[in-house]
Amino acid sequence: MPFFFSGVVENLGSIPIAPMWRKIRSLRHLYMSDVVCSEPLKLDIWKLISLAFVSIYDYAFENLGWMRKTGLNLLGIEDIDENANVSKLVASLKKGDINHCSCLALRGFHFRCMPCLDEIGKIYMLPTLKLNRRLARLPKTQGGLYRVSDLVLVNTCLDEDPMPLLEELPKLKRLKLRNAYTGQEMVIKNNGFPKLCVLNINELWNLRNILVGEGVMPKLEQLEIKNCPHLETLPKEIGSMKCLRKFKMLTTRHIATKIKNSGLISKILEVDIGPLSSMA
């Protein structure tokens, strides 16, 4: 059974509560939201496989020895802002053996920008990475990010096109972008995204054009585009993507009709394109 905490709990990390948790040896999933701890939170739950979301200011990251035995499917850290010590977080994850953590989710505040996250590149193995809230720029691709297979960017509101950096990730198979970019044009160069299978683009409100080079996304199987009200055309290269079997697009009625009549998606096996009621 999952265990949920939500709201303000003043003594969450203090003595009266901590022993209770240490006795729950069968606890597998712990979900926390907007929890205030009076002391750094220390966990000793050997079967725990999901922990989200813990404030970066409340968790005792130097105490991650239990991760070496149990491993984690999900570790979610929130409240990351310009004052957060990301270096300490990364160092603690490496000490706790991040190789056993399948997904790392980092979330900032609604109206603050998260700091530079280049330190994430020092993590040796990181299959899935989720970043939620505003970023000035993406982390550099050195080190661990080259091993990311699943990447989710939500509400990052990047000013610069993320594709030139992301297309270089050699193991990236699934990419989800939601309100991730504020620009009008995306460019994917020749042979970009060599292993990408699933691409999801949502709520890129200013996007007007997607340019792609030769040989891009040769293994793309699924493409979904939603809530991009100014994207009136698709790259002609979509029509020649041999592996693309599923295409879904929710947009305005005018654009939906235009895309259907273009003939670009005629060879795709499964097509779902139509207007959202709010965009009709």
Side-chain angles (χ1 to χ4, degrees), residues 167 187-194 211-217 237:
E167 68 185 9
V187 179
I188 304 175
K189 298 178 182 178
N190 293 348
N191 304 312
F193 294 107
L211 301 176
V212 302
E214 296 180 358
V216 302
M217 299 181 284
E237 287 79 6

Side-chain angles (χ1 to χ4, degrees), residues 166-185:
L166 299 180
E167 68 185 9
E168 296 180 358
L169 299 180
K171 296 185 180 297
L172 189 63
K173 293 183 178 181
R174 286 167 288 273
L175 174 61
K176 178 179 180 179
L177 305 174
R178 180 164 70 84
N179 193 28
Y181 172 51
T182 61
Q184 298 184 8
E185 186 174 86

Side-chain angles (χ1 to χ4, degrees), residues 176-242:
K176 178 179 180 179
L177 305 174
R178 180 164 70 84
N179 193 28
Y181 172 51
T182 61
Q184 298 184 8
E185 186 174 86
M186 278 184 166
V187 179
I188 304 175
K189 298 178 182 178
N190 293 348
N191 304 312
F193 294 107
K195 292 190 177 182
L196 193 67
C197 297
V198 179
L199 176 59
N200 186 309
I201 298 175
N202 191 3
E203 297 180 12
L204 301 191
W205 304 108
N206 299 322
L207 186 64
R208 285 166 167 77
N209 198 16
I210 300 177
L211 301 176
V212 302
E214 296 180 358
V216 302
M217 299 181 284
K219 297 185 178 181
L220 189 68
E221 298 176 1
Q222 299 181 33
L223 174 61
E224 180 175 303
I225 301 175
K226 297 170 58 177
N227 299 307
C228 299
H230 298 291
L231 185 63
E232 297 193 7
T233 60
L234 298 175
K236 66 180 186 301
E237 287 79 6
I238 285 181
S240 59
M241 291 182 177
K242 297 181 179 180

Side-chain angles (χ1 to χ4, degrees), residues 45-46 48 61-72 91-101:
I45 305 174
W46 296 99
L48 194 67
F61 292 107
E62 67 275 6
N63 187 35
L64 279 172
W66 55 274
M67 265 183 65
R68 295 192 184 103
K69 291 188 177 181
T70 163
L72 279 178
S92 299
L93 292 175
K94 292 173 67 178
K95 183 178 179 181
D97 193 356
I98 192 63
N99 290 323
H100 295 292
C101 184

Side-chain angles (χ1 to χ4, degrees), residues 60-125:
F61 292 107
E62 67 275 6
N63 187 35
L64 279 172
W66 55 274
M67 265 183 65
R68 295 192 184 103
K69 291 188 177 181
T70 163
L72 279 178
N73 288 340
L74 169 65
L75 176 61
I77 307 296
E78 66 180 359
D79 297 340
I80 299 176
D81 61 10
E82 62 276 3
N83 298 316
N85 193 337
V86 178
S87 297
K88 183 178 180 181
L89 168 63
V90 171
S92 299
L93 292 175
K94 292 173 67 178
K95 183 178 179 181
D97 193 356
I98 192 63
N99 290 323
H100 295 292
C101 184
S102 301
C103 175
L104 175 64
L106 303 180
R107 185 165 70 189
F109 289 94
H110 283 288
F111 303 108
R112 301 182 193 175
C113 189
M114 288 199 290
C116 171
L117 297 176
D118 289 344
E119 293 288 331
I120 295 177
K122 296 181 179 179
I123 299 174
Y124 178 74
M125 187 70 69

